[in-house]
Amino acid sequence: MNITGGKFNGRIIKAPDSTVTRPTLSKVRMSIFNTLYSLLGEFNGLSFLDLFAGSGIMGLEAASRGFSSITAVEKNRKVFGVVKSNYDSLNFVADLICGDSLKLLNRLQDRYYDVIYIDPPYLSGIYEDVLAKLPAFHIVIVEHSEPVDFSNFDVLQSKNYGGKLITYLKQKAA
């Protein structure tokens, strides 16, 4: 798996066992960051929270493109070792947390993130629980294949990649 853009473009990233994670395809990652660029402009100085990090590729793509602060959360200890190794291989310092994203969200309530990326295990049924506990943010990106209740958010856009949906959210306007 390769980073698709920015200063680490082309760098090879280790992927955990495919029975444990399912990394986001490169064309989808490129599209996500192109869409984010159209919504935010330059990424320099911005923060990115990668919940359910898997290989860590989304946070690494963000770091490569100029996000200055990355937090990545992964529950599986073995997979977390791969995340840490991937960040170490690029000499990028990030806040890497081994733990349950849903439980850790309470600890992150005092933080602000420009972008939060949510990609829990498919069919986990925890999307709404995660969305209800988010810290302050500018944009949330949700990768999903099942219906999710976004009624508490403004949907900026949603894109379908062969049954994999990427939905961009903002706080509901008052």
Side-chain angles (χ1 to χ4, degrees), residues 113-143:
Y113 295 96
D114 294 291
V115 176
I116 299 175
Y117 187 78
I118 301 170
D119 181 16
Y122 279 3
L123 305 175
S124 63
I126 63 171
Y127 289 92
E128 287 83 1
D129 291 338
V130 171
L131 291 169
K133 293 184 173 191
L134 293 177
F137 65 89
H138 185 71
I139 292 175
V140 171
I141 304 166
V142 182
E143 184 174 327

Side-chain angles (χ1 to χ4, degrees), residues 16-42:
D17 181 344
S18 64
T19 62
V20 179
T21 65
R22 44 166 184 55
T24 303
L25 298 174
S26 60
K27 72 176 184 174
V28 176
R29 293 192 315 268
M30 286 190 299
S31 177
I32 287 170
F33 283 96
N34 288 339
T35 300
L36 274 178
Y37 186 79
S38 72
L39 294 170
L40 298 172
E42 292 296 322

Side-chain angles (χ1 to χ4, degrees), residues 8-162:
F8 302 129
N9 186 28
R11 294 285 296 269
I12 297 172
I13 299 303
K14 294 179 197 171
D17 181 344
S18 64
T19 62
V20 179
T21 65
R22 44 166 184 55
T24 303
L25 298 174
S26 60
K27 72 176 184 174
V28 176
R29 293 192 315 268
M30 286 190 299
S31 177
I32 287 170
F33 283 96
N34 288 339
T35 300
L36 274 178
Y37 186 79
S38 72
L39 294 170
L40 298 172
E42 292 296 322
F43 301 139
N44 294 330
L46 299 184
S47 58
F48 190 94
L49 171 58
D50 183 9
L51 292 171
F52 311 95
S55 66
I57 190 66
M58 293 307 293
L60 291 164
E61 291 275 6
S64 183
R65 287 169 168 78
F67 280 80
S68 61
S69 172
I70 310 292
T71 300
V73 181
E74 174 53 47
K75 182 178 180 178
N76 182 301
R77 287 200 178 282
K78 187 173 183 181
V79 173
F80 179 78
V82 174
V83 173
K84 183 168 178 357
S85 173
N86 284 333
Y87 275 89
D88 289 348
S89 74
L90 299 177
N91 294 316
F92 189 87
V93 177
D95 185 10
L96 305 178
I97 302 169
C98 185
D100 185 317
S101 292
L102 193 55
K103 292 178 182 175
L104 285 168
L105 283 171
N106 291 330
R107 191 174 104 194
L108 301 176
Q109 287 302 309
D110 62 336
R111 298 188 191 180
Y112 171 85
Y113 295 96
D114 294 291
V115 176
I116 299 175
Y117 187 78
I118 301 170
D119 181 16
Y122 279 3
L123 305 175
S124 63
I126 63 171
Y127 289 92
E128 287 83 1
D129 291 338
V130 171
L131 291 169
K133 293 184 173 191
L134 293 177
F137 65 89
H138 185 71
I139 292 175
V140 171
I141 304 166
V142 182
E143 184 174 327
H144 59 106
S145 63
E146 59 194 84
V148 178
D149 178 9
F150 297 126
S151 61
N152 293 327
F153 300 89
D154 286 332
V155 176
L156 298 173
Q157 59 183 285
S158 189
K159 297 181 180 185
N160 189 331
Y161 299 90

